[in-house]
């Protein structure tokens, strides 16, 4: 019996290993194309360029255990002491910056000693330790932290020009399907919702929360004509006369904000729950039609208007 169990375990391991895939990307196939500027990034702080491969994985995103290979051959218009590289999910679903690889593969040197006009090459092989939730970008940077102290700073933006080395994996085509109704339990994405003031000219216009639910759809993001039924069971510590919400996309693919339901304020917000009492469990449910197909990610924008005694609050999941 022990031998049989061991054999079954080995088969299971082999089956798991077999599902891992290799994705190959050439920088020229990114959304930025063959010429990529490296602007100053105040958050780094460094000079940073992002080669975005997200459109190539709309039909199938890389997952934990998959291998991602990046190829880049190009020139710089200025001397660069080094280029540091990373593979990152920059989507809202990944809190806008999640490195997809183990610590041993973070912030690696892609190339050093670049001379203006002289070709350089980068070839990186990554093993993902996280699923791509929304976006996949190859980060190229210099003038950052200890690396700049070691190799020297440039203090100038470069322009990188690339030529194709390999053919990139292309899973851009999404399986065609008819619109459908999709049921979403918001609790599966977030259990504690923080409602904070949204200000305009020093005045509170409403209390709101914006959070991603992209991961709940996996590789089948909503398309135009879908209807999304959103449910939630929770409590609030204040009375809320009416809790409203809409669906938006706040990703780089759409310039960081696109309404998915309607363009005008009165039509895009739906009532999710009414007459919420402090500490008392409420059940929220609403079905919202999608008017624009999702590109990379989908988020909920939720709000309630100011009322006498209103304040920010936490809406908590209730069993």
């Amino acid at each position: 019996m022990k031998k049989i169990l061991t054999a079954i375990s080995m088969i299971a391991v082999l089956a798991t290993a077999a599902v891992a895939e290799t994705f190959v990307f050439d920088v020229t196939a990114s959304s930025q194309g063959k010429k990529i500027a490296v602007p100053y990034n105040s958050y780094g702080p460094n000079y940073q360029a992002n080669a975005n491969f997200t459109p190539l994985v709309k039909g199938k995103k890389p997952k934990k255990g998959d291998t991602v290979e990046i190829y880049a051959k190009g020139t710089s218009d200025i001397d660069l002491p080094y280029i540091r590289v990373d593979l990152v999910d920059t989507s809202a679903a990944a809190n806008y910056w999640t490195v997809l690889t183990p610590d041993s593969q973070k912030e690696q040197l892609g190339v050093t000693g670049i001379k203006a006009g002289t070709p350089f090459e980068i070839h990186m092989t990554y093993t993902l330790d996280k699923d791509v939730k929304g976006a996949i970008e190859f980060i190229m940077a210099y003038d950052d932290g200890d690396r700049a102290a070691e190799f020297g700073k440039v203090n100038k933006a470069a322009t990188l020009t690339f030529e194709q080395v390999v053919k990139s994996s292309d899973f851009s085509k999404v399986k065609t399907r008819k619109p459908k109704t999709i049921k979403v339990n918001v609790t599966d994405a977030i259990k504690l919702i923080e409602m904070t003031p949204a200000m305009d000219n020093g005045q509170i216009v409403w209390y709101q929360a914006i959070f991603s639910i992209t991961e709940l759809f996996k590789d089948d993001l909503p398309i135009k004509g879908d209807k999304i039924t959103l449910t939630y069971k929770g409590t609030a510590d204040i009375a809320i006369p009416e809790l409203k919400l809409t669906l938006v996309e706040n990703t780089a693919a759409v310039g960081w904000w696109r309404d998915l339901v309607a363009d005008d304020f009165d039509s895009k917000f739906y009532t999710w729950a009414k007459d919420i009492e402090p500490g008392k469990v409420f059940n929220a449910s609403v079905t919202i039609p999608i008017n624009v197909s999702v590109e990379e990610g989908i988020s909920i924008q939720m709000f309630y208007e100011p009322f006498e005694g209103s304040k920010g609050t936490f809406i908590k999941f209730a069993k």
Side-chain angles (χ1 to χ4, degrees):
M1 177 63 75
K2 184 176 181 180
K3 289 183 178 180
I4 293 174
L5 291 174
T6 301
I8 292 172
S9 297
M10 290 181 66
I11 291 171
V13 170
L14 290 172
T16 301
V19 301
E21 297 193 50
T22 297
F23 293 75
V24 177
F25 299 118
D26 190 289
V27 167
T28 60
S30 70
S31 300
Q32 288 70 26
K34 294 183 177 180
K35 184 169 287 190
I36 303 179
V38 190
Y40 182 70
N41 167 36
S42 60
Y43 294 100
N46 57 16
Y47 287 87
Q48 176 182 302
N50 297 17
N52 184 8
F53 299 112
T54 310
L56 294 175
V57 298
K58 288 184 69 173
K60 180 167 63 175
K61 295 182 178 65
K63 293 178 170 50
K64 180 179 179 179
D66 286 346
T67 297
V68 175
E69 289 191 54
I70 307 290
Y71 288 84
K73 181 179 180 181
T75 58
S76 170
D77 65 335
I78 60 173
D79 290 352
L80 295 176
Y82 71 95
I83 291 179
R84 175 186 69 75
V85 294
D86 257 322
L87 196 65
V88 177
D89 187 338
T90 57
S91 67
N95 294 319
Y96 300 103
W97 188 273
T98 296
V99 178
L100 294 165
T101 59
D103 288 343
S104 60
Q105 295 183 316
K106 290 180 182 179
E107 298 186 353
Q108 293 178 301
L109 283 172
V111 62
T112 59
I114 298 172
K115 296 297 182 182
T118 300
F120 66 88
E121 292 191 39
I122 299 174
H123 177 209
M124 305 302 298
T125 301
Y126 297 105
T127 302
L128 274 58
D129 70 348
K130 303 173 188 69
D131 294 347
V132 174
K133 293 183 177 180
I136 179 169
E137 300 198 21
F138 183 58
I139 310 302
M140 296 174 284
Y142 58 86
D143 276 16
D144 53 333
D146 294 337
R147 288 277 166 75
E150 179 181 358
F151 290 93
K153 275 196 171 186
V154 180
N155 291 317
K156 187 178 180 181
T159 297
L160 307 178
T161 303
F162 295 97
E163 60 180 275
Q164 184 177 343
V165 179
V166 296
K167 184 178 180 180
S168 296
S169 302
D170 188 350
F171 297 100
S172 57
K173 292 183 179 179
V174 180
K175 292 180 180 178
T176 57
R177 63 169 175 80
K178 294 181 179 179
K180 61 184 180 181
T181 298
I182 306 170
K183 294 182 179 180
V184 172
N185 184 348
V186 176
T187 304
D188 293 335
I190 187 169
K191 289 182 169 56
L192 184 65
I193 303 170
E194 184 178 9
M195 307 294 292
T196 58
M199 310 294 290
D200 184 23
N201 293 324
Q203 300 292 320
I204 298 174
V205 291
W206 62 63
Y207 296 86
Q208 75 168 5
I210 302 171
F211 53 90
S212 174
I213 55 173
T214 305
E215 61 188 291
L216 302 183
F217 297 91
K218 301 187 183 298
D219 290 328
D220 188 22
L221 290 173
I223 63 172
K224 182 177 180 179
D226 280 350
K227 294 181 179 179
I228 312 296
T229 298
L230 302 158
T231 61
Y232 188 86
K233 184 179 180 180
T235 62
D237 60 3
I238 62 171
I240 302 175
E242 185 175 18
L243 188 61
K244 295 184 177 182
L245 56 74
T246 190
L247 295 169
V248 301
E249 177 164 359
N250 53 339
T251 70
V254 297
W256 298 111
W257 193 269
R258 174 190 284 172
D259 291 311
L260 296 174
V261 180
D263 293 330
D264 63 289
F265 185 88
D266 292 333
S267 299
K268 72 179 180 179
F269 281 104
Y270 285 70
T271 298
W272 205 32
K274 296 184 72 172
D275 300 323
I276 298 172
E277 299 180 24
K280 187 174 180 180
V281 175
F282 68 90
N283 289 287
S285 181
V286 69
T287 299
I288 299 180
I290 298 294
N291 190 48
V292 181
S293 294
V294 174
E295 293 292 325
E296 290 182 7
I298 179 171
S299 295
I300 290 176
Q301 181 187 13
M302 181 187 306
F303 86 102
Y304 55 86
E305 296 176 344
F307 52 87
E308 185 176 351
S310 64
K311 62 178 181 178
T313 188
F314 286 97
I315 295 175
K316 303 175 182 178
F317 163 67
K319 294 183 180 180

